[in-house]
Amino acid sequence: MRRRIGALALAVALLATLTSACARDPDHLTLRVLASPELADVEPLLDRLENDTGVELEMTYEATADLAGRQPPAAGKPSYDLAWLASDRSFQLRVQDSGGRLARPESTSVMRSPVVAGLTPETAAALRANTPGGRITWADLADAAADGRLRFGMADPRRSDTGRAALVGVATAAAGTGSALREQDVSCDRLRGFRSGQSLTAPSSRALLDTYPKDQDAADALIAHESELLALNAGGRLAHPLEIVHPDDGMVLSDFPLLLLDPAERTAYRKVTDWLLSADTQRELMRRTFRRPVNRDVEPSARLRVPVGNALSYPDRLSIVERLVDDYGDPAHPTGDQVVFLLDFSTSMRGDRIAALRAAFAGLSGADRTTTGKFARFHRGEILTVVRFGGRVLQERTVTVRGDGDLETLDRIVAGGGFDDATAVWSALDRGYRIAADAVRAAPERPVALVLMTDGENNAGLTYAEFLRRHERLGAAADAVPTFTVPFGEADPEALERAATATGGRLVDAGLSSLSDAFKEIRGCH
């Protein structure tokens, strides 16, 4: 009997407690939030948010670059009430591109942090020693990655807001226009050297930074938000703190926006954003997360007063971002393209023309210290074939780039050797396709391209029609390989354009710029 009475008393007490709680807090509300994993560091503040506003945020952390599949049509009910992202730029472009199918949500910037590089002290010192004034750029990082001096970790741009912002920043610096990327600025060869240095990746930068301390020899640098790198340094898990570098050619700035996905929750959303933007909360967010405040009444801490400098603009079209991400590919898979260079060594190339060719090749091997030269150079893991031809093949050599010695081998081929009196353009292209078809059959996953440079018309060997018949007999292996033709001097541009078009490539006129610029434009771009 006593046990039954006790149970009844407990039930009554619980009911009274619940009733009392409801009476005390009638406006309590739980909002479902889809959040970038990077924002897990705000979790300790959420109890205070709930106490102050009566709004509980139920956080689900998921690496998602643009909320694909998460935002319903304009009239639909969302799976989440709010989204809290590192950046909503890709998502807003997807909304813009939907033609009204998707609703544009209200968005409030909460904090800011630029995407930067954190380098080991030794790596930073080595790079600074070779840069004007010790100011390191994205181009310097790309150059060091291409020749094997830099291995870096970065979140997967296909899945991560942070990884995508980093990729946009590097690509914008590579374009060198000083403005947002345009379609014509996204060149698939510009980031191959940079990409070759990526040795670590993860679905999010939070996962990347959680993994790195366990194997610090796997990378010399991490590319992430300034805030994340400051937090990593402060965590005491590194043998030596990373030196945070704000690249001199600009950075993309993330603003960690809170998005209202369900308009029915606007009142609660406003309570939350007002609380987050208050001076006290902004100071606490800055202290806990190392992100810069958006409230101008809050003075940044000493470590956050480093100027952002040139804040790079995000592209204004979704297609540009998607093409950039597609070109970059899966960062977990190593790069390893193959390019076959067919170089005219007929006697007409003597003098200034062969000097220009040799200078162009030396530039691609690392001698060109311009910004575009650093981004467009030959890179580690690339397979390069050089075929010198006149009236016949004069010399042929293939190397896989592992270091400077391999590039020196190819430079010697271009710098030395004799000339021939005839010009067998189509025989040389036929030889190139046989090399390429063998490469495609051996490794179908590896992109292969041909670059044909000549200063004269065909006067020996195969005719163009004979070349086409031979090309057709090679079948699918040859169909997958484009030819980029570079007319020089007295070459027949119409004939070379026909060949490029027939093989899925294009003609690049070196006369409009220089042979060096033409090689930069097309090298490996396939």
Side-chain angles (χ1 to χ4, degrees), residues 132-189:
R135 299 187 304 272
I136 297 172
T137 65
W138 289 118
D140 295 321
L141 297 176
D143 183 53
D147 72 4
R149 290 178 291 126
L150 178 74
R151 297 163 305 140
F152 67 88
M154 186 177 81
D156 188 341
R158 300 170 305 165
R159 303 176 61 183
S160 164
D161 304 314
T162 307
R164 188 166 292 194
L167 183 57
V168 166
V170 177
T172 304
T177 63
S179 57
L181 285 172
R182 304 162 298 174
E183 293 281 1
Q184 61 266 36
D185 297 326
V186 182
S187 175
C188 58
D189 61 330

Side-chain angles (χ1 to χ4, degrees), residues 290-315:
F290 300 97
R291 298 186 185 106
R292 300 174 183 228
V294 296
N295 185 328
R296 294 186 178 181
D297 293 332
V298 177
E299 184 179 357
S301 61
R303 72 182 82 194
L304 297 179
R305 292 175 196 158
V306 178
V308 172
N310 180 23
L312 299 175
S313 300
Y314 210 77

Side-chain angles (χ1 to χ4, degrees), residues 88-102:
D88 67 348
R89 292 186 180 100
S90 288
F91 169 61
Q92 297 290 7
L93 290 177
R94 195 164 66 83
V95 172
Q96 171 185 298
D97 209 44
S98 71
R101 187 181 63 83
L102 298 177

Side-chain angles (χ1 to χ4, degrees), residues 281-463:
T281 304
Q282 289 274 290
R283 291 189 190 94
E284 188 63 14
L285 283 169
M286 180 172 58
R287 186 182 71 81
R288 286 181 176 274
T289 72
F290 300 97
R291 298 186 185 106
R292 300 174 183 228
V294 296
N295 185 328
R296 294 186 178 181
D297 293 332
V298 177
E299 184 179 357
S301 61
R303 72 182 82 194
L304 297 179
R305 292 175 196 158
V306 178
V308 172
N310 180 23
L312 299 175
S313 300
Y314 210 77
D316 60 3
R317 294 176 59 185
L318 181 64
S319 60
I320 297 173
V321 178
E322 289 179 334
R323 180 180 164 195
L324 179 63
V325 172
D326 288 344
D327 278 352
Y328 196 76
D330 184 350
H333 293 164
T335 56
D337 302 353
Q338 182 163 352
V339 185
V340 180
F341 288 91
L342 308 170
L343 306 179
D344 184 351
F345 269 66
S346 57
T347 51
S348 59
M349 282 291 294
R350 281 182 170 148
D352 291 343
R353 292 178 182 176
I354 199 66
L357 173 61
R358 288 166 176 164
F361 232 79
L364 293 177
S365 297
D368 184 346
R369 306 310 296 163
T370 65
T371 295
T372 56
K374 291 175 181 179
F375 276 110
R377 59 168 297 167
F378 295 135
H379 58 79
R380 183 180 51 174
E382 193 171 18
I383 301 174
L384 303 172
T385 299
V386 171
V387 177
R388 294 193 309 111
F389 72 91
R392 57 186 176 83
V393 172
L394 302 174
Q395 190 176 11
E396 178 183 315
R397 183 68 181 268
T398 298
V399 301
T400 299
V401 179
R402 306 294 185 198
D404 289 342
D406 301 305
L407 297 177
E408 290 168 1
T409 297
L410 294 183
D411 285 343
R412 284 195 295 271
I413 294 174
V414 177
F419 296 84
D420 192 76
D421 290 335
T423 307
V425 174
W426 309 123
S427 292
L429 191 55
D430 176 66
R431 176 58 190 154
Y433 266 100
R434 293 179 187 281
I435 296 170
D438 287 344
V440 170
R441 285 189 285 265
E445 75 285 354
R446 179 188 299 130
V448 182
L450 301 181
V451 176
L452 169 63
M453 191 287 302
T454 180
D455 76 335
E457 297 184 8
N458 187 71
N459 59 19
L462 298 178
T463 66

Side-chain angles (χ1 to χ4, degrees), residues 10-26 28:
L10 178 60
V12 171
L14 286 173
L15 180 60
T17 300
L18 291 173
T19 304
S20 173
C22 291
R24 286 197 308 268
D25 193 8
H28 183 277

